[in-house]
Amino acid sequence: MHLRFMNSLVVAALSMPAIFAQETNRPTVEELVAKNIDAKGGATALNNLQTLRATGKLLVQQGQIEYGYAQIKKRPDEVRNEASLQGMTQIQAYDGKEGWKVSPFFGRKDPERMSADDVKALVEDTEMGGPLADWKAKGSTVEYLGTEDVDGTPAHKLKVVRKNGDVSFVYLDPDHFLEIRIVTQRVRHGAHEEVETDLGDYEKAGGVFVPTSIEVGRKGAPDKQMIVVDKVEANVPVDDTMFHFPGQISVPQPQR
């Protein structure tokens, strides 16, 4: 037997325990999701969170323009986003069935219904606990892809395939297990779209940690929108009519 071949066998034998140890120590999807939920405050606190209102500012064009910002969420799946400047307010809302918008900065002051493609991001905004919470009930699939560098942090990377086929790559901080980045891939009006969202400065509201620093935009784009939340309020009274298309009769929805 050649010496070189014998050395190869020895190296392979010595490396097997290390490889086995790496596979043994590799976290499962269930473990990472559980740590993520616990880091946010626990399943009970998340389930008790019925409404969430965040207010602050929205910075665009590298901070040259500042809008007043507000987001209101209500279970089971309602959300309203607002951006205000000089007496005008842009609105995007979803009531669990359809989305609509008012775009005064584009000369459209009357409410308009949104297409199924345009409403996808709003539907994701309704999630109180993010894409990992209750992923099985949502009809998603989740796969752990190991770790990947996120601005110097070896973050845990999970691939979430939603029921509608959209894919979100969720990056968890290895120490705190909170989301620090989400990259979502979707098809919008026949074109591939990839949106990158960086999350940070988590603060507690209603027993749940939520991000108060959110940077979002197309992946690789130099100019992303920056949301800075100054105040977060949990379980505040919210009128359902604010989510519905103006003039539409509000129908009570079951709580979950």
Side-chain angles (χ1 to χ4, degrees):
M1 183 178 293
H2 292 295
L3 181 60
R4 180 178 298 176
F5 182 68
M6 291 180 64
N7 287 339
S8 298
L9 288 177
V10 172
V11 171
L14 291 174
S15 62
M16 285 182 65
I19 296 173
F20 179 76
Q22 289 177 0
E23 291 299 321
T24 303
N25 294 331
R26 182 184 176 92
T28 66
V29 166
E30 288 73 17
E31 289 171 342
L32 288 172
V33 171
K35 288 182 178 181
N36 175 250
I37 299 302
D38 287 343
K40 288 178 178 175
T44 299
L46 275 172
N47 291 333
N48 288 339
L49 192 62
Q50 295 300 310
T51 66
L52 190 67
R53 179 165 60 201
T55 53
K57 49 185 175 284
L58 169 65
L59 306 175
V60 301
Q61 296 185 12
Q62 298 179 344
Q64 296 182 48
I65 301 178
E66 179 180 319
Y67 294 86
Y69 170 80
Q71 182 185 73
I72 305 96
K73 298 182 183 183
K74 183 177 181 180
R75 285 190 187 274
D77 46 15
E78 296 174 307
V79 67
R80 178 180 173 121
N81 297 328
E82 298 180 356
S84 303
L85 180 68
Q86 297 179 349
M88 295 187 293
T89 300
Q90 177 176 294
I91 301 170
Q92 290 188 334
Y94 179 72
D95 65 1
K97 294 182 179 179
E98 67 173 355
W100 58 277
K101 63 183 178 179
V102 177
S103 307
F105 303 114
F106 296 94
R108 299 175 179 177
K109 297 184 179 181
D110 294 326
E112 305 170 280
R113 286 182 167 83
M114 299 172 67
S115 69
D117 278 356
D118 287 336
V119 85
K120 286 181 176 181
L122 274 178
V123 174
E124 294 171 14
D125 282 346
T126 67
E127 298 173 330
M128 290 286 190
L132 295 178
D134 300 321
W135 61 272
K136 291 181 181 179
K138 297 173 187 173
S140 301
T141 62
V142 181
E143 178 185 1
Y144 179 51
L145 301 180
T147 59
E148 186 173 310
D149 180 82
V150 176
D151 299 331
T153 298
H156 292 290
K157 182 179 181 180
L158 296 107
K159 179 182 180 181
V160 180
V161 181
R162 298 174 181 275
K163 191 176 181 179
N164 64 1
D166 292 347
V167 178
S168 290
F169 295 96
V170 180
Y171 297 84
L172 302 181
D173 180 272
D175 298 318
H176 305 290
F177 298 97
L178 292 168
E179 293 93 338
I180 56 176
R181 175 171 291 171
I182 299 176
V183 178
T184 298
Q185 300 173 343
R186 61 172 69 96
V187 175
R188 185 165 172 261
H189 302 304
H192 177 78
E193 180 180 74
E194 193 167 23
V195 178
E196 184 175 78
T197 305
D198 286 341
L199 309 161
D201 296 335
Y202 281 80
E203 294 187 9
K204 184 175 281 190
V208 175
F209 282 98
V210 296
T212 62
S213 173
I214 305 164
E215 187 177 28
V216 59
R218 292 183 181 273
K219 187 175 181 180
D223 183 22
K224 296 181 179 179
Q225 297 182 352
M226 183 71 185
I227 297 170
V228 180
V229 176
D230 299 320
K231 186 177 182 180
V232 186
E233 302 169 276
N235 295 323
V236 294
V238 174
D239 188 348
D240 267 338
T241 58
M242 69 161 39
F243 304 107
H244 294 281
F245 192 84
Q248 181 176 313
I249 298 175
S250 175
V251 178
Q253 298 188 25
Q255 298 295 313
R256 70 179 181 190

